[in-house]
Each structure stands twice: as structure tokens, then as C-alpha cells.
Amino acid sequence: MAASAPVDIVSMLARHAAERPSARCLTSGNDALDFATLARRTNAAANLLAAQGIGHGDRVALLSNASPEVFELLFACAKLGAILVPLNWRLSAREIAQIVSDCDPALVVVEESLAPLLAEAGKGPRLSFEAYVALRDAATDGEPNGAGDPDIPALILYTSGTTGLPKGVMLSQRNLSYLGRMADEVWGFTPSSVNLVAMPLFHIGGIGYALLGLSQGGETVLLPGADPAAVIAAIARHGVTHGFFVPTVVQRLVEHVAASGAATPSIGTIFYGAAPIGEELLERARAAFGCHFVHVYGMTETAGTTVTLLPHEHVGARLRSCGRPMPWIELALVDPASGRKVATGEVGEIRMRSPAIMLGYWRKPDETATAITADGWMCSGDAAFADADGYLFIHDRYKDMIVSGGENIYPSEIDNIMLHHPAVAEVAVIGLPHPKWGETPCAYVVLRDGSEVSAADLIAFTRERMAHYKCPTSVRFVPALPRNASGKILKRELRELGEGALR
């Protein structure tokens, strides 16, 4: 595919609609779309959006569970030069309002069951799913008059920032086209592949991963979540060949298979990533499913995977590695303070450069300049070392991000919420190991003199103001937070204290 791979997703869809019009491309529940139908619906959606006055550079926000309409709107926006912004339905109404304010959409399309999440998001133009489908079906499905361009933003995915404020990662069609290259050149997807997507489509691990199968003319099966029984049933029902799961889901699948005693359905390849996975769990999963396993490492900012450990590389000490870079990825490990490249075996910050790197953060030039160097290197904030053969081993994170169940959580965002409680004088949140979620937030709290509050009350306070998966699961009261001479909180000491309490 490499020589003739399209640099835009619109051409990819057009090619498959022409060459494989009746082949299944998207399956959701009992409904299945072929490529010809998806192409017609995409045109109709684009013409509908154009009739709403949406064109080059306009944002279309979408609040929806996993559904084919997500892809209709992605391709439709790309045809018009507009930008799709999938909203994270796991967030609170307050957090969604922040994102809507930031991206300033010309239109919000919302699934009826999720409409209450827009309660604080202002009164801009909206379409319910029911109204959208009716208008789409009434629109002409001829090619729209658009201004598509492979090098302008086509998709904005919001990812939390270290300040607690969301950042919109701008990805172009050209960025997204590298998903097709990795599907073909690295992982061997074909038109016969059946790709199971159980991740939310507001994640690159959902919408980006789904484009792997679509790019090769294969079928993509959408699930609303990663319930183990539903995943196992879908694998068996649809003859799934590929699936991506975060380690916590892998663990649930293994436990479900063991508890049910049922035969494990056949699947060709399981991709795992987005959080660390223990060797014991990996070995149990390999024994349970008897299939190929592929480790993936990447970021929303890199349009998905940049480093991968292939099935034949899952041996010995390399089980702890995330693999080697994709062919088009330049990767360097550097001392973040000096920019000096580190030696083999020495820990440094992962930095990457490739044509798949994001265009930047939406309306955040300063944050973009901090994340991407003047010569195009994406600064990951992750620390790793490489062996003599170029295999990458994640060592730790320079940033304080917590990865819980595949979700990125930034402690400062929790800090900012908890400091609004009248009893809290100081707070520092860290991630502690958790057998189910990988990590979970723990808040160390210094109370104001004369104040009293329970841990349960503080947790409830945060749950009223932010997504539940971000909230601390434990609170520990301390007389003071450890600090260095300059006043910086020593989170390393808090981690040692917390992990010591777990032993």
C-alpha cells in the first residue's frame, strides 16, 4: 500500500466504495453498512452541513456513543474542509462546557441520551441525532462542493493538560493517513480483516484504531463499551481478527474466560497499550487466547502508534519493551534539560518526529511551541531507555500524569478542584498502584486549622465537579506536605509513603 497510499481519508473511502461497494465496513449492533452506503451517507451529511452554513475551518462538535454516524461526520467534515470535534461523554457538564467554549463549534450534534451533558455549554446551534438522521436522509447524496485539503485540521481530539485545562489536538487528513500505512505495512490488515473497536471514539485509541480496518477495506465492529461478556460474544459472532484493549480490559477478559469456563473464541491479534501491563497478566492472556499480541505506544499528538512490539518479538526481556519505532518515525531519547541525546541504556525523554505529528494544539500557540521543538520534535514527557537493538523500554514519566484504566489523569486538575473545598489548605495528588486499574489517584491533604472533613466527603466533593474516573479513590490526611528548599512538593516522597502503606 505504501507507494499508492492516499494522503487523505476521503480518497481512501472513495477508493473502497468504488472497488468494494458491497463489502461491509461498519457494523453496530444489528446494523451493518457497506462502503457504498457509507460513501453516500457521507456525501449526504456533507450536503446537510453545507446547508447549515458550515464550511472551511468550521467546527462540528459531536456528543455520541460509538456509532457509524461518527465516521459519516468525520468524512463529511473532511470533504468540506470543516473539523469534527468528538466530545468526551465521560466528562462532567462543566468540563464539556469548557471544551465547547474552547472549540466554539458552528454546530453540535448530540445523541438524545447525552443531551443533559450540554446543560452548561451555552445555547449555540444544535441537532439531535434524530433530527440529524432525518435531515441527512432528505439531503442529496451527490458530491458536495467543498474545500477539502489533506494538510488542514480535519479532527480535533481533546486531551487533558498539565494545567487541568483541556487541549485540542489538531490532526489533518495526512496525519491520519499514516494509520493506513501502519495497518498495511506493519500489522498486515487486509480486506478480510474484522476489526473490533471497544474504545470510545473520542479517543485516538477508538476513532484512530477504527481507521486501521477501514483503511484496508475491512469490516469494523463497533461496541458501546468493553464489557467482557459483550467483547467475547462479539469476537465469536463476527469472526473478529483484530482488537485493541487497554490492560485493565485484557485483565477482565482473562478473568471472564477463566470464570465462565467457556471456550475462548478465535481471534488473530490482540493489540494492547495506553498503560503499563504486567508480565504475569500478559502471559495469562497469551495462554487464554492463544493468539498474537502486539504492544503499541503512541500519543494523541502523534495520531496514534509510533512504537510497536510485534508478535515474534514477544520473547524474554523484550516482553517489558514497547518495541521499536514505525519506519517513518524518527525517535530520540534526550536529556530534557540540555537536549543532549543519551547513550544506549541511559534514560531520556522520548522525542519523536514524523509527518504524522499533530498540526498543533487548537488556539494554543504557546503550548504547541512547548510540545514541538522548532525543528519538529514532539516532546512526549515520557522517560525511557533503549537497548542495543533499538527496543524501547518505558522507565517512568517525567510528567505526573496518572494512567488509570487507560485514561489519562493529571493530578493538578484534581488539586485545583479540591482546593475549592473550604476545609482544604493544601493538596497533592499522586498515582498509586492498583490491581484492577493499573493506577488510581490518591490525594494527600493538609486541612485548614480547626477544620474537619472526612475522606468520603472530599471524594464526593470532587465527584460533583469532575468526571468520576478522574476522582481520587483515597484521601490521606497529613500535617504537612514534603517540600524542597524552593518550596516544590516532593511527590517522590509521597509515592514512597503511599507504596509503603500498600505493602
Side-chain angles (χ1 to χ4, degrees):
M1 176 180 171
S4 60
V7 297
D8 62 287
I9 59 174
V10 167
S11 295
M12 175 269 288
L13 175 60
R15 185 184 71 183
H16 292 310
E19 296 177 356
R20 312 185 72 247
S22 61
R24 284 191 176 193
C25 63
L26 287 171
T27 298
S28 179
N30 295 321
D31 298 326
L33 271 65
D34 58 30
F35 278 100
T37 302
L38 178 59
R40 286 194 301 270
R41 287 190 179 181
T42 291
N43 283 346
N47 289 321
L48 156 62
L49 294 178
Q52 299 279 326
I54 291 167
H56 190 276
D58 289 330
R59 278 77 59 207
V60 176
L62 174 63
L63 187 57
S64 164
N65 289 295
S67 71
E69 285 79 8
V70 177
F71 298 93
E72 292 173 18
L73 285 166
L74 172 63
F75 292 120
C77 286
K79 287 195 170 194
L80 298 176
I83 309 169
L84 181 67
V85 187
L87 300 175
N88 182 345
W89 42 258
R90 296 188 67 182
L91 299 177
S92 67
R94 180 187 65 85
E95 293 164 313
I96 287 177
Q98 288 179 330
I99 291 174
V100 170
S101 175
D102 187 64
C103 71
D104 188 22
L107 178 68
V108 178
V109 180
V110 56
E111 191 172 316
E112 288 84 343
S113 63
L114 299 175
L117 290 174
L118 294 174
E120 300 180 30
K123 300 298 182 183
R126 295 180 188 175
L127 276 181
S128 69
F129 246 46
E130 183 180 39
Y132 162 76
V133 169
L135 290 171
R136 180 204 66 200
D137 290 346
T140 176
D141 60 9
E143 282 290 337
N145 294 320
D149 180 329
D151 295 310
I152 63 174
L155 180 68
I156 294 178
L157 298 175
Y158 273 84
T159 180
S160 296
T162 54
T163 63
L165 297 175
K167 298 195 295 279
V169 175
M170 296 186 290
L171 298 174
S172 69
Q173 292 193 66
R174 190 183 299 273
N175 295 150
L176 296 172
S177 74
Y178 281 84
L179 293 161
R181 288 194 61 181
M182 60 181 83
D184 176 37
E185 298 175 35
V186 182
W187 292 326
F189 281 72
T190 72
S192 300
S193 297
V194 180
N195 194 26
L196 180 65
V197 179
M199 286 281 285
L201 297 181
F202 52 74
H203 270 308
I204 192 66
I207 196 168
Y209 177 72
L211 289 172
L212 295 174
L214 286 171
S215 72
Q216 303 308 302
E219 179 183 2
T220 296
V221 177
L222 303 176
L223 287 185
D227 173 75
V231 168
I232 295 296
I235 293 172
R237 176 184 176 189
H238 298 286
V240 168
T241 60
H242 298 78
F244 168 68
F245 309 107
V246 298
T248 53
V249 173
V250 173
Q251 179 176 342
R252 290 178 210 160
L253 291 174
V254 170
E255 291 172 350
H256 176 80
V257 168
S260 66
T264 307
S266 175
I267 182 173
T269 302
I270 289 178
F271 297 85
Y272 64 96
I277 190 170
E279 287 183 69
E280 179 185 4
L281 172 57
L282 181 57
E283 291 294 2
R284 288 171 60 204
R286 294 171 78 187
F289 286 91
C291 66
H292 295 309
F293 278 76
V294 173
H295 191 180
V296 296
Y297 167 84
M299 307 167 64
T300 305
E301 289 89 340
T302 60
T305 302
T306 55
V307 177
T308 185
L309 187 74
L310 299 173
H312 70 275
E313 297 171 321
H314 277 65
V315 292
R318 286 178 183 160
L319 287 174
R320 296 189 294 275
S321 170
C322 57
R324 293 189 286 190
M326 297 286 185
W328 51 87
I329 300 291
E330 294 181 78
L331 189 145
L333 298 177
V334 306
D335 176 351
S338 66
R340 171 189 64 85
K341 289 187 178 181
V342 302
T344 298
E346 185 179 346
V347 174
E349 182 189 21
I350 300 171
R351 294 190 178 179
M352 296 163 283
R353 184 165 63 181
S354 88
I357 297 294
M358 68 171 180
L359 301 177
Y361 295 117
W362 172 255
R363 291 179 174 172
K364 288 181 169 55
D366 292 342
E367 287 88 340
T368 299
T370 298
I372 304 176
T373 65
D375 52 353
W377 289 92
M378 179 74 214
C379 304
S380 72
D382 291 330
F385 66 90
D387 66 15
D389 296 315
Y391 286 90
L392 195 69
F393 294 78
I394 303 295
H395 177 73
D396 203 343
R397 290 184 291 276
Y398 285 109
K399 300 174 183 176
D400 290 324
M401 183 179 73
I402 300 166
V403 180
S404 183
E407 295 286 354
N408 296 342
I409 303 169
Y410 287 90
S412 60
E413 187 176 8
I414 307 173
D415 294 345
N416 291 337
I417 292 294
M418 296 190 75
L419 285 170
H420 283 86
H421 194 284
V424 175
E426 295 181 282
V427 61
V429 174
I430 62 169
L432 291 181
H434 190 280
K436 181 176 181 181
W437 302 111
E439 291 180 304
T440 188
C442 172
Y444 283 81
V445 172
V446 178
L447 294 178
R448 297 185 184 276
D449 289 342
S451 296
E452 292 185 1
V453 66
S454 69
D457 285 342
L458 284 180
I459 292 172
F461 180 83
T462 63
R463 288 192 164 203
E464 292 172 359
R465 291 162 175 80
M466 61 196 310
H468 287 193
Y469 73 84
K470 295 182 181 181
C471 297
T473 57
S474 60
V475 175
R476 296 175 183 177
F477 297 100
V478 291
L481 297 174
R483 298 178 184 271
N484 63 14
S486 63
K488 182 178 179 181
I489 296 173
L490 299 173
K491 289 196 171 184
R492 174 179 51 81
E493 292 189 11
L494 291 178
R495 289 190 187 96
E496 292 172 355
L497 180 65
E499 291 171 1
L502 295 176
R503 289 194 285 269

